Amino acid sequence: LNPTELPNIIELGTEAGDFGTLLAALDAADLTDTLESDGPFTVFAPVDEAFASLPTGVVDCLLEPQNLDTLQAVLLLHVVGGQTLSGSLSDGMLLPTLNGEETRVDIDVDGNVFINSVSQVVSADNLASNGVVHVINNVLLPVGFDAGAFLTTCGAGNICPSVPSSGCSICGPGFCVGNPDAVFSFPGQPSVPCGTLEEAGIDGTIPLGECGFLPGLTNSVCECTAGNPFSCPDVPEDGCSICGD
């Protein structure tokens, strides 16, 4: 096809139907007009499922007005100036993105292409009138992006959701305290830094029967005690929750 007969990058994403979150984010970041312009651009486009796999609360937090700069940085990390087709990609290649950082191309022995080692290209060379779109299965994040710390900009880092009867809500971005330096104190037990819980893989709602991973945290020892710096919301009789102040 003649490039002028192709849809532009925004139109291509709209027609595909699997980029609702990306398109909404581009609009919120005032970048829609950019990707409708002549370009050309190479866009590594995360599907909706990729955004949904981010820690709870991150997408909503990115869309809040005070985080416009962060949202733009995240989105522009997916955009490279010029049209780069898959046949031009090579293992170890560094691509300068419009947010100022470089993304790395990794190609495995089977020929699968990954960006920054974490996001696989699942559909390549989707041509547009102003460039090309490569579909990826994970969202790229800027160097040093800390989801837990970022969530505190929206108040989400210290929010405990309602605790289901089948589990207990512990430490992790979007669930409880996202600050790895925060310390939990359990009755009659040593304090435990949030980061330690995350390293142990305790980063969300876990089965109530597995609450024993934490010293003293069982369904019979769930209440806050005097001197505990963390307040607790209403806790169901058969659940337990530790949360931030």
Side-chain angles (χ1 to χ4, degrees):
L1 286 177
N2 187 309
T4 60
E5 298 175 354
L6 293 169
N8 64 43
I9 289 170
I10 296 298
E11 292 169 338
L12 188 65
T14 302
E15 292 173 4
D18 198 22
F19 300 96
T21 305
L22 175 60
L23 293 171
L26 288 168
D27 191 52
D30 297 325
L31 293 174
T32 297
D33 288 347
T34 299
L35 294 183
E36 287 179 330
S37 66
D38 291 341
F41 304 103
T42 297
V43 176
F44 294 95
V47 293
D48 289 337
E49 187 176 345
F51 282 97
S53 69
L54 289 172
T56 303
V58 166
V59 172
D60 289 338
C61 193
L62 282 169
L63 295 175
E64 293 199 6
Q66 73 270 22
N67 290 321
L68 176 62
D69 289 347
T70 302
L71 176 61
Q72 290 178 335
V74 169
L75 295 174
L76 291 176
L77 186 60
H78 297 75
V79 184
V80 176
Q83 186 184 70
T84 304
L85 300 179
S86 61
S88 300
L89 300 176
S90 59
D91 188 39
M93 184 178 186
L94 297 176
L95 299 172
T97 69
L98 297 193
N99 90 336
E101 293 183 21
E102 293 180 322
T103 58
R104 177 187 172 92
V105 177
D106 295 296
I107 303 177
D108 67 16
V109 294
D110 296 319
N112 296 308
V113 177
F114 295 84
I115 305 300
N116 286 353
S117 300
V118 298
S119 189
Q120 184 176 357
V121 174
V122 295
S123 176
D125 298 338
N126 298 278
L127 297 178
S129 63
N130 57 345
V132 63
V133 174
H134 304 299
V135 181
I136 57 176
N137 63 358
N138 280 297
V139 177
L140 305 175
L141 295 171
V143 173
F145 182 87
D146 182 330
F150 174 66
L151 284 166
T152 63
T153 66
C154 300
N158 289 322
I159 293 175
C160 284
S162 58
V163 181
S165 60
S166 60
C168 47
S169 181
I170 314 291
C171 164
F175 291 95
C176 258
V177 173
N179 180 357
D181 296 323
V183 175
F184 292 110
S185 177
F186 304 115
Q189 298 291 337
S191 59
V192 181
C194 177
T196 299
L197 304 185
E198 291 181 310
E199 290 174 4
I202 302 171
D203 58 358
T205 300
I206 63 175
L208 189 61
E210 297 180 13
C211 288
F213 279 130
L214 302 180
L217 182 58
T218 68
N219 62 340
S220 62
V221 184
C222 293
E223 70 281 358
C224 290
T225 59
N228 189 336
F230 300 98
S231 59
C232 291
D234 294 333
V235 178
E237 293 181 356
D238 53 358
C240 50
S241 179
I242 305 298
C243 67
D245 43 338

